[in-house]
Amino acid sequence: MPGIEKLPIEETLEDSPQTRSLLGVFEEDTAAISNYCTQLYQAMQRIYDAQNELSAATHLTSRLLKEYDKQRFPLGGDDEVMSSTLQQFAKVIDELSSCHAVLSTQLADAMMFPITQFKERDLKEILTLKEVFQIASDDHDTAINRYSRLSKRRDNDKVNTSAVEDVYTSRKKQHQTMMHYFCSLNTLQYKKKTALLEPLLGYMQAQISFFKLGSENLTQQWEEFLGTIGTSVQNVRREMEEEVGQMQQSIQEMERSCDPLYAPCDPDPAHSPVCRNLTRKQGYLYIRNKTGLVSSSWERQYFFTQGGNLMQQGRGEVAGGLVTDLDNCSVMAVDCDDRRFCFQVTSFDGKNFQTWSKCWISTINNISKRIYLSENAEELAARVNQSALEAVTPSPSFQQRHESMRPSRWRVGRASSISSVGSEPSPALSVLSLDALVAPDTPIQFDIISPVSEENSGQSKTAAQSGRRSNPFGESGDSTSEDNSILHQLFIVRFLGSMEVRAAESADVISETMRQILAARAIHNIFRMTESHLLVTCDCLKLIDPQTQVTRLRFPLSSVVQCSSHQDNKRLFGFVLQSASERGDSRAVCYIFESNNDGEKICDSIGLAKQIAFHSEMDLEEQSRLIAASSRPANPPGSDGQFLVLSNSQSEDSDAGEEGKKRGESEA
């Protein structure tokens, strides 16, 4: 190849200064080539690493696009068009990933291998020969200097022979090394051209092959698909720009209109009149919570009204919780020592709130009057509310009080619908409780319907006909079989509720009824309970008013199917009463009570009454022995808790209680 400089190998033996000077030029050129080749190698290594990273990133992108269907997005997760589009993109990118993998392999073979060989083999070989030549040249200079210092006066053959041999050996070694060194330097002038051109040629051929492979994969079909997607993207971008413009305009309008609302209160009340026709309200309030016996703290919460309930919802919560029932409550503005703009909702537990908007007082006042139940609630509220801004809500009228004293009935469906969003009962429990045990749409009765007026009228008629005097408390003066009963046990109970059930003899019907009644009371904040005296006799169960001694309810003992107490809370007990309805079929009702830790005693007492009723043919002495025997300690209950089925085969190991024992012994 013309234009390539060479070192004269034939002049290596002479080792003239001109030869050495020319050798220095070649060594300087070799150093420059080595430095440049190192930089080029680093640049090509970056290309190769980037291509490998691109191949891996493309493969990862394809895999992520394929897994889009498995993602669970809170918003827009079921977009089928987006999912199918991404699947098509994943297919294309997967093919491109394969092309990139092929390109990485070609770059490794055609670009990185030649330049690596030149750098690691040829350049290092020249550096090694240079070091060897330098050592041989130094040895030759030392041998020549030694030979030149031989003395003429002392002729020592041995020393002379050794010096001659050293000169011979060192000159031969220098000559041979210098020839190989010159040969490598001359060869480097050719290799530096091939070492620079071969990697570039391999790089370009690999890129051309990659582009050809990509053009074959990206056919006309993919070009049309990409054009359609590009049009869709432009449409979405145009809609986004329009939506952003509308939102910016809305923001400007709201900033102008809401500027007076940023202040906590308007100094001029005429600018912000109180709206008195609201039946719904929401916003942030401060509520006072007790932190100790005499200490309290204010907490900022978000409140809203829902029907007749006041609800609160914390930040980050999905649904709100019930605070209080606003039906028949009282609301008034109050003065607090540590706060301004306070009002109080008077219910079973008076709660204090703080707000800067007096519309809350009017809204709660309207809800307490149940205006929200009417069709035109706002018009009716505007007519009713004509009091002052800080006027106290008038107390409920006599008619409202009379209506509030009526028995409250809440359906199971309503108790379920008030529950918070997202709390779905388990399917097994729903099927068991609603379908198998409790009749559908069964109302829950929380108060005792006391037929005092009817009993008094009936008793007065009976007394007038029989000529006997009746006492003013609703009890007749004649002696019945109940008075002659040997068993009289009295317990203090509080009525929780009752509801109609299906499976009267099921072991779970009482516990399921307890669960539903307690849940309904908790949801609707019903804490009022009617206290009564439960009288257990051999003929019936009586609920007696503790003040007037009037019989509120009478349950025939023969109609009581079963009785049991709560497994964990022994204060709760209930019994199932089965009787014939007006249509002629059987009707079962479960009654739930709370006692003073006497649930098990009451169940045992009812069981004892069933036993005495079953042995009604026995005389008084045998019945007394039965009561005395039942008062002995019975066997400990089983692992199933206190469950007692009342039938004619009742066990005689029931416990009548201390009070029943004393009464039985005294009667005996």
Side-chain angles (χ1 to χ4, degrees):
M1 179 178 291
I4 297 179
E5 299 293 337
K6 298 180 182 180
L7 284 171
I9 300 178
E10 58 275 5
E11 296 180 1
T12 55
L13 181 60
E14 185 179 356
D15 193 14
S16 62
Q18 293 80 5
T19 305
R20 287 288 184 132
S21 177
L22 186 60
L23 177 62
V25 174
F26 272 78
E27 289 179 348
E28 184 179 355
D29 182 74
T30 302
I33 292 175
S34 177
N35 186 22
Y36 178 78
C37 182
T38 301
Q39 296 179 7
L40 185 62
Y41 172 81
Q42 293 176 355
M44 291 184 176
Q45 184 66 38
R46 292 181 61 183
I47 294 176
Y48 178 68
D49 294 340
Q51 182 60 40
N52 289 335
E53 183 66 24
L54 180 60
S55 177
T58 308
H59 179 71
L60 178 62
T61 303
S62 175
R63 183 171 61 84
L64 291 177
L65 292 179
K66 292 179 180 179
E67 295 177 355
Y68 178 81
D69 293 338
K70 301 179 182 179
Q71 304 299 320
R72 295 294 180 265
F73 298 101
L75 299 177
D78 53 349
D79 192 351
E80 296 181 357
V81 177
M82 188 68 177
S83 177
S84 60
T85 303
L86 292 181
Q87 292 299 323
Q88 293 182 2
F89 270 113
K91 183 178 179 180
V92 177
I93 295 176
D94 195 12
E95 294 178 357
L96 291 178
S97 176
S98 302
C99 296
H100 282 291
V102 174
L103 178 60
S104 298
T105 305
Q106 291 179 352
L107 291 178
D109 296 337
M111 182 182 70
M112 295 305 301
F113 181 75
I115 195 170
T116 303
Q117 289 290 100
F118 177 72
K119 178 177 176 294
E120 298 294 335
R121 185 183 64 183
D122 299 334
L123 293 179
K124 284 187 177 182
E125 180 182 357
I126 291 177
L127 292 177
T128 303
L129 289 175
K130 180 180 179 181
E131 294 177 358
V132 173
F133 169 71
Q134 190 66 33
I135 295 172
S137 179
D138 294 341
D139 293 342
H140 178 260
D141 293 341
T142 303
I144 291 296
N145 291 333
R146 181 184 175 188
Y147 179 77
S148 63
R149 289 197 299 268
L150 292 176
S151 177
K152 294 181 179 180
R153 297 178 182 180
R154 292 190 235 174
D155 191 6
N156 190 346
D157 295 339
K158 184 176 182 180
V159 174
N160 294 336
T161 304
S162 175
V164 172
E165 290 180 357
D166 289 343
V167 171
Y168 173 81
T169 304
S170 60
R171 179 173 292 182
K172 182 179 180 180
K173 182 178 180 181
Q174 179 190 8
H175 184 234
Q176 293 177 353
T177 305
M178 195 172 184
M179 286 190 298
H180 288 288
Y181 184 39
F182 278 24
C183 181
S184 297
L185 290 176
N186 291 336
T187 308
L188 181 63
Q189 300 303 314
Y190 294 92
K191 287 185 177 180
K192 71 178 182 180
K193 298 181 181 297
T194 59
L196 295 179
L197 294 177
E198 285 184 357
L200 297 178
L201 181 62
Y203 173 76
M204 296 305 299
Q205 289 178 350
Q207 293 291 343
I208 293 173
S209 175
F210 171 74
F211 291 138
K212 287 183 179 180
L213 188 61
S215 62
E216 293 176 359
N217 292 331
L218 298 177
T219 58
Q220 185 70 21
Q221 179 181 0
W222 292 116
E223 293 180 0
E224 295 177 357
F225 168 72
L226 295 178
T228 304
I229 298 301
T231 304
S232 301
V233 170
Q234 294 297 328
N235 295 334
V236 173
R237 188 179 298 276
R238 192 180 305 108
E239 293 179 2
M240 180 189 67
E241 293 176 354
E242 295 177 357
E243 184 67 23
V244 169
Q246 295 178 0
M247 288 189 293
Q248 293 293 338
Q249 184 178 0
S250 301
I251 290 174
Q252 296 177 0
E253 295 177 356
M254 293 181 66
E255 287 179 351
R256 291 192 298 266
S257 61
C258 297
D259 187 76
L261 302 178
Y262 295 148
C265 58
D266 196 344
D268 188 2
H271 293 168
S272 57
V274 178
C275 185
R276 297 183 168 279
N277 56 352
L278 296 178
T279 57
R280 298 178 62 186
K281 184 69 176 173
Q282 65 276 347
Y284 283 94
L285 296 175
Y286 281 90
I287 182 173
R288 171 179 281 176
N289 297 322
K290 290 184 178 181
T291 57
L293 296 177
V294 294
S295 61
S296 61
S297 63
W298 293 86
E299 184 180 1
R300 187 171 184 263
Q301 292 287 345
Y302 183 81
F303 292 86
F304 62 95
T305 60
Q306 183 176 357
N309 299 323
L310 180 64
M311 315 288 288
Q312 77 172 4
Q313 183 176 359
R315 289 187 177 181
E317 296 181 358
V318 180
L322 179 65
V323 178
T324 184
D325 189 2
L326 299 178
D327 289 342
N328 294 328
C329 71
S330 177
V331 58
M332 66 182 71
V334 295
D335 293 332
C336 293
D337 297 336
D338 56 343
R339 295 279 173 144
R340 301 183 301 164
F341 313 113
C342 297
F343 67 94
Q344 181 178 9
V345 178
T346 304
S347 58
F348 67 94
D349 54 346
K351 294 183 179 294
N352 291 346
F353 300 88
Q354 182 189 20
T355 179
W356 289 278
S357 175
K358 296 180 180 179
C359 296
W360 274 99
I361 299 178
S362 301
T363 303
I364 297 177
N365 189 13
N366 296 337
I367 295 176
S368 66
K369 295 178 181 180
R370 301 184 180 181
I371 297 178
Y372 66 93
L373 297 176
S374 59
E375 295 181 357
N376 299 324
E378 295 186 358
E379 297 180 2
L380 181 59
R383 293 196 304 266
V384 172
N385 286 280
Q386 297 178 357
S387 58
L389 294 179
E390 297 182 358
V392 178
T393 302
S395 60
S397 61
F398 176 78
Q399 181 180 1
Q400 291 177 344
R401 291 181 179 179
H402 181 67
E403 291 177 355
S404 64
M405 293 299 293
R406 291 181 180 177
S408 303
R409 288 177 177 266
W410 303 90
R411 292 188 177 273
V412 178
R414 181 181 178 185
S416 303
S417 62
I418 301 298
S419 60
S420 59
V421 178
S423 58
E424 299 179 0
S426 62
L429 182 58
S430 300
V431 173
L432 177 63
S433 60
L434 296 179
D435 295 340
L437 301 179
V438 181
D441 298 333
T442 302
I444 301 177
Q445 179 175 312
F446 295 110
D447 289 339
I448 298 177
I449 302 178
S450 180
V452 177
S453 59
E454 298 178 0
E455 289 184 358
N456 289 339
S457 60
Q459 290 172 358
S460 60
K461 292 180 181 180
T462 305
Q465 294 176 1
S466 60
R468 295 182 179 180
R469 180 176 61 87
S470 60
N471 59 25
F473 298 105
E475 296 292 338
S476 60
D478 56 343
S479 176
T480 60
S481 60
E482 298 173 4
D483 298 331
N484 295 331
S485 174
I486 190 174
L487 179 63
H488 284 78
Q489 288 187 326
L490 196 66
F491 302 94
I492 299 176
V493 297
R494 287 168 293 278
F495 181 71
L496 295 178
S498 64
M499 60 188 303
E500 186 176 350
V501 296
R502 276 185 172 179
E505 298 181 357
S506 175
D508 299 327
V509 64
I510 296 180
S511 60
E512 177 64 21
T513 307
M514 287 181 182
R515 187 189 66 82
Q516 294 201 22
I517 290 177
L518 293 177
R521 278 182 167 270
I523 291 175
H524 300 290
N525 276 353
I526 302 175
F527 296 96
R528 183 181 58 186
M529 293 182 291
T530 304
E531 185 171 315
S532 304
H533 288 173
L534 178 63
L535 179 62
V536 180
T537 65
C538 298
D539 297 327
C540 65
L541 306 178
K542 285 185 179 182
L543 285 179
I544 303 175
D545 191 338
Q547 297 180 357
T548 62
Q549 299 300 318
V550 175
T551 301
R552 290 174 172 170
L553 288 178
R554 181 181 182 277
F555 307 104
L557 192 62
S558 58
S559 301
V560 179
V561 180
Q562 61 167 316
C563 176
S564 67
S565 61
H566 197 277
Q567 185 175 0
D568 299 326
N569 188 0
K570 300 304 180 182
R571 298 172 58 185
L572 302 179
F573 76 97
F575 57 84
V576 179
L577 188 71
Q578 189 169 12
S579 60
S581 61
E582 298 178 355
R583 296 175 297 181
D585 53 351
S586 178
R587 177 174 178 267
V589 180
C590 183
Y591 294 85
I592 305 301
F593 296 88
E594 181 185 21
S595 63
N596 298 334
N597 297 323
D598 294 331
E600 298 179 0
K601 284 187 178 182
I602 296 174
C603 294
D604 295 340
S605 179
I606 297 175
L608 179 61
K610 294 285 286 186
Q611 294 181 38
I612 296 176
F614 177 69
H615 300 86
S616 58
E617 67 276 1
M618 295 189 302
D619 55 7
L620 187 61
E621 182 178 359
E622 293 178 350
Q623 293 181 3
S624 301
R625 293 175 180 173
L626 180 60
I627 295 176
S630 64
S631 63
R632 300 189 185 98
N635 294 329
S639 59
D640 297 334
Q642 292 292 332
F643 176 75
L644 184 61
V645 178
L646 304 181
S647 61
N648 292 337
S649 60
Q650 184 65 260
S651 174
E652 297 182 1
D653 292 334
S654 302
D655 185 7
E658 295 296 332
E659 186 177 356
K661 177 181 178 181
K662 293 180 180 179
R663 287 179 176 270
E665 292 178 352
S666 61
E667 292 293 336

